[in-house]
Amino acid sequence: MASPITPPRGMRDFLPADKARREHALGVIRRSFAAHGFDEIETPVVEDVALLHSGLGGDNEKLSFSVLKRGLDGDDLTAAIESGDVLSLTDLGLRFDLTVPLARFYATHRADLPPVFRAIQIAPVWRAERPQKGRYRQFVQCDIDIIGEQGQLAEVELITATAAALDALGLKDCTIRINDRRILNGLLEYCGFAAARWPQVLISIDKLDKIGAAGVVAELEPEGADSAAVLGGILENLEPHIADGGVELTVEAITGILPDGIDTDAVAGLESLAHALDSLPTGVTLRFDPTLVRGMGYYTGTIFEIAHPGSGSSVGGGGRYDGMIGRFLGSDVPAAGFSIGFERVVDLIEVPADETADSVVLVYDVAVPLDRLLAVKTELIASGRRVRLEKRTKNLKAILDRAEAAGFGTFAIVTPETTDAASLELKALG
């Protein structure tokens, strides 16, 4: 249990340098997404608990934080215990992702939105995870979604905008692994799994990189040894290709590693998608990975995930989810989205040195008149600089080290002889 002076488990404080790094990354992502024609929206941090437990969020629904109703008494608690319905004590919950709130947002405001709506959402979400390295209970998601576009233009725009954001952040050697839920479903049908079992089988396949083909088979054998054995043989043949990051997005390459009879339209669609994306930044590569699952149950078509050699987990992902919004409107609306895993990406980037060039620490003697000190500071601010005042002490090095750690690039000593900003001698920190 956390002590009273530390944040709750899975949540973090950010020191100024960390916060500056995060804001730099968020600014780059926002500008990149906006340049590609997306508009930023905002939704509440809480939604109705019925929405958050409506089957739209997959396994994440089990990790949602619920908010107790106001004015509960002992009778309410007793009734909940007797019925076994703990959620009856709640009416709201913290959002566990940004896609479910977006679906509700679109259903609410559809009349005020364009036929094809391109949305940016950048905000914190909360999940009752078991805290561990790279996995937190509060974290930021950076989502873009396109609602109303049925064709592949949606996937093309999402991948292009995301690749541009990664490039602008300075992330090289990114691989976007792509698959299609129709191909996965075809594999499961080929193996003989009943459709009712597909969600559980996909959960096991999603663990392939952790437990291997033998582990997947072992998990699935109790409810169908024959089907599990067929799948195991396929996965063993696929593992070498997956270890290489997948195969090229061509019909020949894709069909060459899949059993016969897999959805040909889906395969052709992936090749068409690759042709449309042949001008991505040089640091981004597209590959087909037939074992890519993406855990959310709402995906209906193309799915994608970003891999980077500096991270042991994916640094982003998304896909097409045509059936979700129809749950609110009564008629299906095509939709697709891509989310950058901000908490993982921010650990991989460097803040450019030129961002500190216009920041200065004024180390002043106590004998400097306050009006003159503030006049010099005001003059520097008016010229576009960020300025901080630090009283001079015997340990000047400690002051300068602290300023450099806080993101300042230059410093100057202010003495009683200093008359204005032009009389300062600016020196680089570090």
Side-chain angles (χ1 to χ4, degrees):
M1 182 175 178
S3 73
I5 61 169
T6 61
R9 291 186 66 231
M11 301 181 182
R12 297 164 292 165
D13 295 323
F14 296 106
L15 293 171
D18 298 322
K19 182 64 174 173
R21 179 192 196 86
R22 293 170 69 84
E23 290 302 318
H24 161 76
L26 289 172
V28 170
I29 293 169
R30 275 193 169 94
R31 289 191 295 273
S32 185
F33 286 167
H36 284 259
F38 291 80
D39 295 315
E40 189 161 4
I41 65 169
E42 184 174 328
T43 58
V45 302
V46 294
E47 296 282 354
D48 287 339
V49 73
L51 170 65
L52 297 175
H53 292 270
S54 60
L56 297 175
D59 285 345
N60 285 331
E61 294 188 4
K62 302 173 185 176
L63 301 175
S64 65
F65 285 99
S66 297
V67 179
L68 290 175
K69 295 177 181 176
R70 276 62 59 205
L72 293 173
D73 57 25
D75 291 339
D76 297 311
L77 298 178
T78 300
I81 292 171
E82 291 177 348
S83 67
D85 183 10
V86 177
L87 285 179
S88 66
L89 299 173
T90 70
D91 56 356
L92 300 171
L94 290 171
R95 61 190 177 206
F96 50 73
D97 74 357
L98 297 177
T99 307
V100 173
L102 173 66
R104 195 271 311 150
F105 172 94
Y106 183 82
T108 302
H109 301 285
R110 185 181 188 182
D112 301 316
L113 299 173
V116 177
F117 179 49
R118 294 167 175 84
I120 303 170
Q121 280 192 99
I122 298 178
V125 299
W126 293 265
R127 294 178 191 170
E129 298 271 13
R130 182 173 64 85
Q132 52 187 295
K133 182 177 173 57
R135 193 176 292 273
Y136 308 103
R137 288 179 171 175
Q138 176 179 318
F139 55 96
V140 171
Q141 286 191 334
C142 301
D143 288 14
I144 47 173
D145 294 82
I146 298 179
I147 301 175
E149 174 56 59
Q150 190 170 7
Q152 283 192 325
L153 178 61
E155 284 90 338
V156 169
E157 284 199 275
L158 290 168
I159 293 173
T160 300
T162 301
L166 297 173
D167 185 58
L169 286 167
L171 280 184
K172 304 300 181 184
D173 301 321
C174 290
T175 299
I176 300 180
R177 300 157 55 219
I178 299 181
N179 197 6
D180 194 299
R181 274 297 177 99
R182 293 170 294 174
I183 292 175
L184 280 169
N185 292 343
L187 279 175
L188 302 189
E189 188 174 14
Y190 176 88
C191 294
F193 290 106
R197 291 195 60 206
W198 289 0
Q200 183 56 47
V201 177
L202 290 177
I203 290 173
S204 296
I205 294 175
D206 203 25
K207 303 176 187 176
L208 179 65
D209 60 334
K210 298 180 179 66
I211 63 177
V216 173
V217 172
E219 281 196 358
L220 299 175
E221 270 183 340
E223 297 183 48
D226 291 344
S227 296
V230 175
L231 177 62
I234 294 173
L235 294 179
E236 286 179 359
N237 291 331
L238 292 177
E239 278 186 310
H241 301 287
I242 306 311
D244 290 337
V247 300
E248 292 183 7
L249 283 163
T250 65
V251 169
E252 292 77 14
I254 295 171
T255 56
I257 63 172
L258 294 176
D260 294 334
I262 301 300
D263 194 312
T264 55
D265 289 340
V267 173
L270 292 182
E271 182 179 62
S272 175
L273 185 62
H275 283 312
L277 292 167
D278 61 1
S279 60
L280 290 177
T282 55
V284 180
T285 304
L286 297 178
R287 304 289 281 180
F288 170 65
D289 180 354
T291 66
L292 176 63
V293 172
R294 297 294 302 163
M296 304 304 290
Y298 50 63
Y299 290 126
T300 57
T302 317
I303 50 178
F304 21 81
E305 195 167 271
I306 308 168
H308 187 275
S311 175
S313 303
S314 69
V315 295
R320 180 166 283 278
Y321 54 96
D322 287 345
M324 180 185 287
I325 296 172
R327 296 274 294 271
F328 296 95
L329 297 176
S331 59
D332 284 346
V333 177
F338 210 152
S339 178
I340 289 178
F342 179 74
E343 306 299 343
R344 290 169 180 163
V345 163
V346 76
D347 289 337
L348 299 173
I349 68 167
E350 297 293 336
V351 177
D354 59 4
E355 292 216 347
T356 66
D358 289 332
S359 58
V360 57
V361 171
L362 297 180
V363 183
Y364 65 93
D365 290 340
V366 293
V368 177
L370 286 180
D371 59 340
R372 191 183 308 165
L373 179 63
L374 292 176
V376 172
K377 178 182 179 182
T378 300
E379 189 178 347
L380 288 171
I381 291 173
S383 70
R385 288 183 168 93
R386 177 189 178 209
V387 185
R388 174 175 293 175
L389 299 177
E390 289 278 359
K391 182 167 64 176
R392 185 168 188 172
T393 63
K394 289 182 179 180
N395 191 350
L396 179 61
K397 184 178 185 303
I399 295 174
L400 300 183
D401 288 347
R402 185 167 64 245
E404 184 180 6
F408 286 83
T410 58
F411 77 99
I413 305 297
V414 183
T415 69
E417 288 71 40
T418 302
T419 56
D420 53 22
S423 64
L424 293 172
E425 183 182 358
L426 296 176
K427 299 179 179 179
L429 286 165

